[in-house]
Amino acid sequence: MKILGIESSCDETAAAVVEDGRTVLSDIVQTQVDLHAIYGGVVPELACRAHIEAISPVVAKALQDARVTVSELDAIAVTNAPGLVGALLVGVSMAKSLALAAGKPLMAVDHIHGHIYANKLAFPDLEYPCISAVFSGGHTSLYRSDSEIDHRLLGATTDDAAGEAFDKVAKILGVGFPGGPMIEKAARGHDPARVTFPRTLLDPESFDFSFSGIKTAVLYHVRGQDARSPRALSPEEVGDICASFQEAVVDVLVEKAVRACETHGVPRLAVGGGVAANGRLREKMTARGAAHGLRTYFPPLRYCTDNAAMIAGLGYHLFRAGRVSDLWLDAVPTKVHRK
Ligand code: KG4
Ligand code: ZN
């Protein structure tokens, strides 16, 4: 089965064709990162307009690279939640139009479940149950996954997402956008023990997260108590603060994810989402996981951040489970993933 996947939930317009949920025939991602960089964050209205301009050429290129026509597709899968509502609507409208015009089944894909699927796409022999972690710009969540489409939420952030904390701290330090990769770069070769930032673990039994405290701690460290006359930081200090911040966030993510595996007696941990691209997280999670007898999975970097291959791949399993949508399908900006 050849499925076209479409993704437009945030600042990447993406389309991909995936066969049988595992063979990626094409994978196009057009990022808007330069458009938003000067604002230090994604501007929803600009994102929507850029998706409208990009969606047709991106879909056409995905079909062309896969050497298929719309009529040769078996189905169409699209991210319909969660995300920026205007951005989601662009992809959803495109998918509905194609499904209607060509008479193809349509599947609604949850973006977060797409990030979880990125590991299955990269490692088809990944078995269930496994603990799935999604660490992105919008989410920091742990799930118990019993199949490609069955995910039970164990815990989530109570305030900022991990990626959001990276982005906000990058803005405070002026190291650029998007914050995650910029902080990782600035931290390279610097001292992660120079500043002890808080590792907020909340209730020891809980798998929830909180990252607003560390963001404020960085702000006070940089500005001191007097916001009107902030200290000038040397590049050396900025690097050390980045390394110290990154280390604290990574420690919390590793601690909770490994504990989720132990509590649920599950020896597999699959980490996805943009923050899963972080080298220090990959290194520390893999080492701690191994010390606890866990096998840890991280997708290749291009499947950590937003892409449509994970959407098309998951669409295959939804189709097989009969989870097909009708043309009333709508974009849903916030979907509450219940425990
Ligand atoms: O999954 P994603 O592309 O979009 C969302 O669904 O949110 O994740 C984007 C987030 C951003 O907050 C970005 O700063 C973060 O992932 N990110 C990273 C790295 N690369 C991207 N965070 C830490 N280290 C990285 N190397
Ligand atoms: Zn994402």
Side-chain angles (χ1 to χ4, degrees):
M1 278 196 73
K2 288 179 183 161
I3 296 185
L4 169 70
I6 297 177
E7 155 65 43
S8 67
S9 63
C10 191
D11 59 345
E12 262 94 31
T13 318
V17 179
V18 176
E19 191 167 4
D20 297 337
R22 56 162 68 188
T23 310
V24 180
L25 302 180
S26 65
D27 179 17
I28 307 297
V29 179
Q30 183 163 318
T31 181
Q32 306 172 3
V33 63
D34 293 341
L35 182 68
H36 303 290
I38 55 165
Y39 304 101
V42 178
V43 183
E45 182 61 24
L46 294 182
C48 302
R49 286 191 222 169
H51 282 304
I52 290 169
E53 284 170 16
I55 192 82
S56 292
V58 164
V59 168
K61 182 85 171 83
L63 294 171
Q64 187 190 15
D65 282 9
R67 298 176 192 280
V68 287
T69 61
V70 177
S71 59
E72 288 163 351
L73 291 170
D74 292 288
I76 295 164
V78 64
T79 303
N80 82 314
L84 302 170
V85 71
L88 287 165
L89 269 174
V90 177
V92 168
S93 305
M94 178 55 123
K96 288 204 285 190
S97 310
L98 290 172
L100 175 65
K104 305 292 175 185
L106 176 69
M107 279 85 68
V109 179
D110 183 303
H111 182 78
I112 308 306
H113 294 174
H115 276 303
I116 293 176
Y117 190 75
N119 270 304
K120 185 71 181 176
L121 185 64
F123 306 102
D125 56 357
L126 169 62
E127 288 173 9
Y128 299 101
C130 84
I131 297 298
S132 299
V134 179
F135 302 148
S136 72
H139 296 266
T140 308
S141 308
L142 291 169
Y143 298 82
R144 179 196 161 104
S145 300
D146 285 294
S147 78
E148 290 84 355
I149 58 173
D150 294 320
H151 310 291
R152 183 160 65 84
L153 185 67
L154 305 177
T157 187
T158 52
D159 41 54
D160 290 350
E164 191 180 356
F166 269 94
D167 294 335
K168 288 178 176 170
V169 165
K171 209 167 174 178
I172 293 169
L173 295 171
V175 295
F177 174 83
M182 295 301 186
I183 287 189
E184 182 173 11
K185 195 165 151 219
R188 213 159 281 146
H190 283 272
D191 180 9
R194 166 114 178 223
V195 191
T196 308
F197 288 121
R199 272 95 169 139
T200 309
L201 294 170
L202 302 172
D203 171 356
E205 299 292 305
S206 145
F207 296 114
D208 288 339
F209 297 87
S210 168
F211 292 105
S212 64
I214 188 169
K215 175 194 65 187
T216 312
V218 174
L219 186 69
Y220 281 131
H221 182 82
V222 169
R223 290 207 184 149
Q225 296 301 323
D226 184 0
R228 284 162 304 176
S229 51
R231 297 185 297 124
L233 299 174
S234 69
E236 189 58 31
E237 260 181 296
V238 170
D240 287 349
I241 295 170
C242 286
S244 303
F245 163 79
Q246 176 176 263
E247 200 68 13
V249 173
V250 164
D251 281 349
V252 172
L253 297 176
V254 169
E255 170 72 27
K256 295 243 171 188
V258 169
R259 200 155 44 72
C261 289
E262 296 206 311
T263 305
H264 285 262
V266 172
R268 287 167 289 274
L269 172 62
V271 188
V275 181
N278 186 278
R280 186 67 183 135
L281 175 69
R282 294 169 91 98
E283 187 180 65
K284 247 187 155 168
M285 192 79 96
T286 306
R288 268 290 293 285
H292 286 77
L294 307 177
R295 173 132 189 232
T296 310
Y297 298 82
F298 281 90
L301 295 192
R302 70 173 292 121
Y303 295 147
C304 287
T305 45
D306 290 349
N307 66 88
M310 65 188 191
I311 305 302
L314 180 52
Y316 169 76
H317 295 276
L318 293 170
F319 180 83
R320 288 194 31 166
R323 296 212 206 155
V324 175
S325 296
D326 60 25
L327 292 172
W328 290 103
L329 178 67
D330 213 347
V332 183
T334 50
K335 197 160 171 182
V336 180
H337 292 255
R338 299 207 179 279
K339 285 191 197 174

